[in-house]
């Protein structure tokens, strides 16, 4: 299992305690500090290389999972596409089972798809407060208060965050191609982004419902704004006091997919956002909504959901416990 960045130290300890015999936890360090400005693709390539290095050190590994926070979720989505492998095997239905093919009796044989990530069985792909739909306009970054002027200024200043900023604000157009995040919502000529995601047994999106000023509820939970649960229906539980809603694994896109090339010259945020939602939600996702309303740490919701530092983010411990309790091993 790969946990991105040094900020996952608390969570890593909890996972080791819970699954001391089943899990090897690795906290990635290949994209630290100023390297986070290099872009989702370069960071994803570095992470993929790091994963291969770790697997080489533990040749007995059989399964792989990713637990990611914020930008790390996008980086991981790119990395798994680099690591994705698909083969097939022929398997007999059974020694005693026969079927008739073309009028003759033959042993029934079927093609079995074998999908792997770096040669391992993909299990959990978990993101926390990840801007899956980017941060460009349309209230995806709450810090801009939904004001078009502020969103436009932020978009125009995205270059301050390097290539990563251009990717997040959908301002990149390398070699005339659509923005990278838009391409990552489908299997593109570059990489099998969706096939790689689909190979995992579980895909889970943890999202802050409020007080996360960097990543909005919609983009982190992969929902349209009109699909977000009503606040009055959100209820805290006893075991996980800050988890207010859990949607079981479902796919929500039944509409015809919008091609990534469509209307790209206009580059309207809402059109690209819709294309990304349709592509990503063709897969089933578990959605876990988190609220720190009433907590003294609510203004640090973006890091509290991850428990970046236990002294300042301890209220997120129940979110980590929820991940552990529902982890597929």
């Amino acid at each position: 299992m790969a946990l991105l960045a040094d900020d996952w130290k608390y969570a890593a300890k909890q996972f080791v305690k819970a699954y001391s015999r089943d899990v090897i936890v690795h906290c990635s360090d290949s994209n630290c500090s100023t390297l986070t400005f290099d872009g989702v693709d370069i960071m994803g390539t570095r992470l993929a290389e790091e994963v291969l290095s770790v697997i080489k050190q533990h040749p007995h590994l059989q399964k792989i999972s990713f637990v990611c926070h914020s930008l790390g979720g996008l980086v991981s989505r790119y990395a798994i596409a680099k690591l994705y492998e698909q083969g097939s095997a022929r398997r007999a239905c059974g020694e005693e089972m026969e079927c008739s093919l073309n009028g003759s009796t033959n042993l029934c044989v079927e093609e079995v798809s074998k999908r792997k990530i770096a040669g391992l069985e993909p299990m959990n792909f978990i993101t926390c407060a990840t801007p899956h739909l980017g941060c460009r306009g349309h209230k995806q970054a709450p810090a801009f208060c939904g004001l078009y002027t502020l969103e436009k200024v932020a978009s125009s200043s995205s270059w301050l965050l390097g290539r990563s900023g251009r990717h997040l604000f959908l301002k990149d157009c390398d070699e005339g191609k659509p923005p990278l995040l838009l391409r990552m919502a489908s299997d593109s000529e570059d990489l099998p982004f969706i096939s790689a995601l689909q190979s995992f047994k579980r895909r889970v999106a943890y999202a802050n419902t409020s007080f996360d000023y960097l990543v909005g509820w919609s983009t982190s939970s992969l929902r349209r704004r009109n699909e977000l649960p009503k606040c009055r229906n959100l209820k805290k539980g006893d075991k996980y006091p800050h988890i207010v809603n859990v949607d079981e694994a479902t796919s929500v896109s039944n509409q015809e997919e919008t091609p990534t090339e469509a209307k790209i010259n206009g580059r309207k945020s809402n059109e690209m956002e819709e294309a990304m939602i349709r592509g990503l939600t063709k897969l089933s996702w578990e959605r876990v909504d988190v609220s720190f309303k009433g907590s003294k740490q609510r203004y640090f919701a973006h890091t509290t959901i991850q428990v970046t530092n236990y002294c300042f983010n301890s209220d997120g411990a129940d979110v980590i416990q929820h991940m552990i309790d529902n982890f597929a091993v």
Side-chain angles (χ1 to χ4, degrees):
M1 179 179 69
L3 296 180
L4 294 186
D6 200 38
D7 294 336
W8 280 107
K9 280 186 176 180
Y10 171 80
K13 290 181 180 179
Q14 305 313 306
F15 269 99
V16 170
K17 286 181 181 179
Y19 300 109
S20 58
R21 297 183 178 180
D22 303 307
V23 171
I24 291 176
V25 178
H26 173 74
C27 292
S28 171
D29 59 4
S30 61
N31 290 300
C32 59
S33 189
T34 57
L35 295 179
T36 58
F37 296 127
D38 289 347
V40 171
D41 50 355
I42 293 177
M43 294 171 67
T45 300
R46 278 199 294 256
L47 176 60
E49 293 171 351
E50 182 180 9
V51 169
L52 291 174
S53 176
V54 172
I55 292 174
K56 189 175 182 180
Q57 297 172 30
H58 303 279
H60 62 286
L61 291 179
Q62 297 179 346
K63 302 176 181 181
I64 189 168
S65 294
F66 287 77
V67 183
C68 333
H69 177 253
S70 196
L71 178 61
L74 299 176
V75 173
S76 294
R77 280 174 47 200
Y78 193 95
I80 63 173
K82 296 280 288 186
L83 297 169
Y84 177 72
E85 304 168 6
Q86 182 174 10
S88 62
R90 296 179 65 83
R91 180 178 68 188
C93 291
E95 294 180 2
E96 304 297 330
M97 186 178 293
E98 293 183 341
C99 63
S100 179
L101 299 174
N102 300 322
S104 61
T105 301
N106 297 288
L107 186 65
C108 182
V109 175
E110 62 176 341
E111 287 287 335
V112 181
S113 177
K114 299 174 67 176
R115 300 184 175 196
K116 302 285 187 179
I117 297 294
L120 305 178
E121 181 183 356
M123 298 299 289
N124 307 271
F125 191 87
I126 302 172
T127 65
C128 297
T130 288
H132 288 287
L133 310 177
C135 299
R136 178 173 172 173
H138 220 186
K139 301 180 181 180
Q140 295 296 16
F144 306 138
C145 306
L147 298 176
Y148 175 74
T149 302
L150 289 179
E151 291 177 346
K152 187 175 180 180
V153 169
S155 180
S156 300
S157 305
S158 60
W159 58 271
L160 292 171
L161 300 176
R163 293 185 73 249
S164 296
R166 295 186 64 78
H167 287 156
L168 286 171
F169 283 91
L170 308 175
K171 297 283 287 184
D172 58 302
C173 53
D174 298 337
E175 300 177 354
K177 295 180 180 179
L180 178 60
L181 295 194
L182 190 57
R183 282 181 275 144
M184 286 173 60
S186 63
D187 282 350
S188 72
E189 60 182 15
D190 301 315
L191 289 168
F193 296 109
I194 291 299
S195 292
L197 264 178
Q198 188 177 29
S199 69
F200 284 82
K201 184 175 182 179
R202 300 174 65 230
R203 289 163 296 280
V204 192
Y206 284 80
N208 283 311
T209 63
S210 57
F211 294 103
D212 188 329
Y213 299 107
L214 298 178
V215 180
W217 188 8
S218 173
T219 187
S220 56
S221 67
L222 286 164
R223 297 185 183 106
R224 300 171 181 87
R225 267 157 293 283
N226 62 3
E227 295 170 342
L228 295 172
K230 301 298 181 183
C231 290
R232 62 176 177 272
N233 296 329
L234 302 178
K235 298 180 180 179
K236 295 185 177 183
D238 295 329
K239 186 174 183 180
Y240 312 108
H242 298 104
I243 289 179
V244 294
N245 181 64
V246 177
D247 284 347
E248 299 301 325
T250 55
S251 55
V252 298
S253 280
N254 297 315
Q255 307 174 55
E256 184 179 350
E257 182 180 4
T258 301
T260 56
E261 299 289 346
K263 303 177 183 178
I264 198 61
N265 291 332
R267 293 184 181 262
K268 294 183 179 179
S269 299
N270 58 338
E271 292 169 353
M272 290 192 284
E273 180 182 309
E274 179 63 21
M276 287 186 284
I277 288 179
R278 290 187 183 186
L280 290 168
T281 59
K282 281 190 170 184
L283 306 179
S284 61
W285 288 83
E286 298 171 42
R287 293 172 175 82
V288 183
D289 299 310
V290 178
S291 174
F292 294 107
K293 183 179 180 181
S295 166
K296 293 181 179 179
Q297 300 169 2
R298 61 187 179 276
Y299 296 112
F300 306 105
H302 188 69
T303 52
T304 297
I305 196 173
Q306 177 195 23
V307 193
T308 301
N309 184 307
Y310 190 79
C311 293
F312 299 104
N313 309 123
S314 58
D315 282 358
D318 63 312
V319 179
I320 301 301
Q321 190 60 51
H322 185 272
M323 289 183 202
I324 292 172
D325 291 345
N326 292 276
F327 201 74
V329 294

